[in-house]
């Protein structure tokens, strides 16, 4: 149970279904069905490629976790555009990684030569401080791929002293408040934080019963 609204907690999972249900599904599945399912699962696997060393692309699992003090993730087109306009518009950053992703709404490759309008997921490193990383994730990450995305991306980093900041957006119409949304300034900024975050928050905290969904929530 959360001790305060906005705390990130691990919710109980029903990912493991009953053995009887699994057995019933297995009986109904033909060998062709199983082969198609395996191929789809393989195709939906996420690959994270890094060029942190010598410019050569390496898969995330191949190297030891690297030191990262601050990791800023912009999820969605608006948040990614904000990073492009106000942070990445300089020579202070270099591309050091990319995510290969395939699902119903996204097709990516391991190339990093993309247009700003392309749906993509790129990692940048601050040249003056290599422990500071940014991620522009403007591509759609499906529900069944979100845990895999987190596992592979954060599996590359040492967790000690790591501060993670997530930037995301949602329509004003989805914001739940007692006052009229017509009188609200747009855009406006709200925050959620974990209990481990001891620094001062730069904006008001998000009020109940508003929630964060999808990859930012994960």
């Amino acid at each position: 149970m959360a001790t305060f609204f906005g705390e990130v907690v691990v919710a109980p999972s029903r990912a493991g279904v009953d053995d009887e249900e699994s057995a019933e599904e297995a009986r109904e599945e033909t060998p062709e069905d199983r082969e198609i399912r395996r191929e789809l699962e393989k195709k939906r696997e996420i690959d994270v490629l890094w060029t942190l060393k010598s410019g050569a692309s390496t898969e995330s699992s191949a190297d030891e976790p690297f030191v990262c003090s601050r990791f800023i993730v912009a999820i969605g087109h608006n948040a990614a555009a904000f990073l492009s306009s106000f942070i990445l518009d300089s020579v202070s950053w270099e591309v050091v990684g990319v995510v290969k992703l395939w699902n119903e709404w996204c097709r990516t490759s391991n190339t990093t030569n993309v247009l700003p309008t392309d749906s993509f997921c790129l990692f940048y490193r601050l040249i003056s401080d290599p422990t500071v990383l940014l991620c522009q994730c403007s591509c759609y990450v499906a529900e069944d791929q979100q845990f895999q995305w987190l596992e592979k991306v954060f599996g590359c980093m040492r967790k000690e002293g790591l501060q993670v900041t997530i930037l995301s957006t949602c329509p004003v119409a989805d914001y739940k408040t007692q006052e009229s949304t017509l009188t609200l300034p747009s855009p406006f900024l709200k925050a959620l934080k974990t209990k481990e975050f001891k620094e001062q928050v730069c904006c008001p905290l998000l009020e109940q019963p508003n929630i964060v969904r999808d990859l930012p929530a994960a």
Side-chain angles (χ1 to χ4, degrees), residues 143-158:
E143 288 186 5
D144 63 311
Q145 296 175 314
Q146 292 171 8
F147 176 76
Q148 187 183 166
W149 192 98
L150 295 168
E151 187 179 45
K152 293 194 174 183
V153 171
F154 285 96
C156 308
M157 307 173 188
R158 294 180 186 175

Side-chain angles (χ1 to χ4, degrees), residues 110-172:
N110 59 356
T111 180
T112 57
N113 298 319
V114 294
L115 297 174
T117 54
D118 289 345
S119 294
F120 219 70
C121 186
L122 293 175
F123 299 94
Y124 297 84
R125 178 171 59 183
L126 184 62
I127 296 176
S128 60
D129 184 357
T131 66
V132 177
L133 293 181
L134 297 181
C135 174
Q136 273 187 311
C137 184
S138 56
C139 58
Y140 172 74
V141 182
E143 288 186 5
D144 63 311
Q145 296 175 314
Q146 292 171 8
F147 176 76
Q148 187 183 166
W149 192 98
L150 295 168
E151 187 179 45
K152 293 194 174 183
V153 171
F154 285 96
C156 308
M157 307 173 188
R158 294 180 186 175
K159 307 301 188 298
E160 297 82 7
L162 172 61
Q163 184 183 103
V164 181
T165 302
I166 310 296
L167 304 175
S168 65
T169 58
C170 68
V172 175

Side-chain angles (χ1 to χ4, degrees), residues 6-7 24 29 42 44 58 74 77 82 91 98 104 113 116 148 164 167 174 183 187 192:
E7 180 183 358
E24 184 178 350
E29 204 174 39
K42 184 177 180 180
R44 295 177 73 89
T58 56
H77 290 286
F82 174 82
V91 295
V98 64
E104 297 84 356
N113 298 319
Q148 187 183 166
V164 181
L167 304 175
D174 292 344
T183 63
L192 293 176

